[in-house]
Amino acid sequence: MASYRIALIPGDGIGGPVIAAAWAVLQAAAKAEGFTLAAESFPWSCAYYLETGRMMPEDGIESLRGFDAILLGAVGWPQTVPDSVSLHGLLLPIRKAFVQYANIRPHRLLPGVQGPLRAETFDILCIRENTEGEYAGAGGRVHQGSAHEVAVETSIFTRAGVERILRFGFEQARARRGKLASVTKSNAQKYSMVFWDEITDLLAADYPDVEVTRYHIDAMAARMVMAPESLDVVVASNLFGDILTDLGAAIQGGLGFAASANIDPTRTSPSMFEPVHGSAPDIAALGIANPIASIWSGAMMLEHLGEPAAAKRVMRAVEAVTARGIGTRPGQDKTDAITAAILSAVG
Ligand code: IPM
Ligand code: MN
């Protein structure tokens, strides 16, 4: 019987309850499909930081390396630890150390979910570059605190980095409806974004079956609202992908439904699966966090592990539950009630 070792990092706030929900559903799917999932849970979080002075131990990355995948809830508790410290101490180092260069985020309406748009039939797969670009972390501050203070944050775009994410986008488009939208701002940013456009054009020759269109980020933001059904796979840099995927979450009814996968396509290191939402301190104590984003992320994990039947089983259960109006509106149903309904549908 196949067996997978999963590292659970619930993190902060609603991360705990949504990961508990997702884990229960994944266990049920594994049982039904005849494989096992074994978890080891890591308490790394802002509370851990307050105790130890670190978001994860020095050998944190090494302790995760042997797992088949990582399931993460949410990182951040800005009342006690600045986000710039917590994120750079846990989430972002994992994405970089394990070269999870493709951040995949699906945006479509689940049955029964009322989005803010008239369009109901869109099915967009956003692919966000996840290791470099605007979030490379290259920069510094000088003359700190003085009137002459300078802050510099440089985007890093490498040929290898841009080529591999675009190639990944082309492959995804080929496996779906054959359309790739490559997003830049090359009319204003004449070095990095022109570079990205050039590589897009170069690679297009290898994928004659994929229809590739270049968009500027501002126009893409408008298109995702006005004509989301015209889009299939959307590939963008780290910052642009970050922004577009919150927009994607909004048009799919909210962050409670937005799932993501941080993938190392080479499978050298474990990939990490997490909801797009954060720790939501404002509702953390209320028991109303929607676990669907985490459960959907868990389904993406099963797919990645090579268990597509179990992944489909989870998504069918989620869809059956939302179609009945359960978990479809923010704050309407308790986390436990949504989870129980999905558990009984998963079989
Ligand atoms: C996301 C989040 C993170 C990101 C933050 C918390 C650093 O917004 O996963 O989209 O921008 O990568
Ligand atoms: Mn984001």
Side-chain angles (χ1 to χ4, degrees), residues 105 128 242 245-246 276:
R105 298 179 165 180
R128 164 186 173 187
D242 186 20
T245 54
D246 260 38
V276 177

Side-chain angles (χ1 to χ4, degrees), residues 84-153:
S84 57
V85 171
S86 57
L87 275 315
H88 284 274
L90 184 53
L91 177 67
L92 299 176
I94 296 175
R95 289 180 182 166
K96 284 192 186 133
F98 292 145
V99 201
Q100 296 165 345
Y101 67 80
N103 189 327
I104 310 178
R105 298 179 165 180
H107 302 296
R108 62 184 170 83
L109 283 169
L110 293 172
V113 175
Q114 178 102 58
L117 304 180
R118 279 194 298 270
E120 283 176 357
T121 52
F122 58 88
D123 181 354
I124 303 173
L125 192 69
C126 276
I127 314 279
R128 164 186 173 187
E129 202 293 320
N130 213 27
T131 53
E132 54 171 44
E134 307 87 343
Y135 294 180
R141 287 168 69 167
V142 289
H143 311 308
Q144 240 165 310
S146 83
H148 301 286
E149 180 162 4
V150 180
V152 177
E153 185 130 6

Side-chain angles (χ1 to χ4, degrees), residues 44 56-66 90 93-94 97-98:
W44 306 337
M56 64 175 157
E58 216 157 336
D59 63 353
I61 293 292
E62 285 322 302
S63 20
L64 295 174
R65 199 178 287 284
L90 184 53
I94 296 175
F98 292 145

Side-chain angles (χ1 to χ4, degrees), residues 293-306:
S294 287
I295 294 169
W296 190 340
S297 305
M300 294 173 84
M301 183 181 86
L302 296 178
E303 185 86 45
H304 180 77
L305 291 172

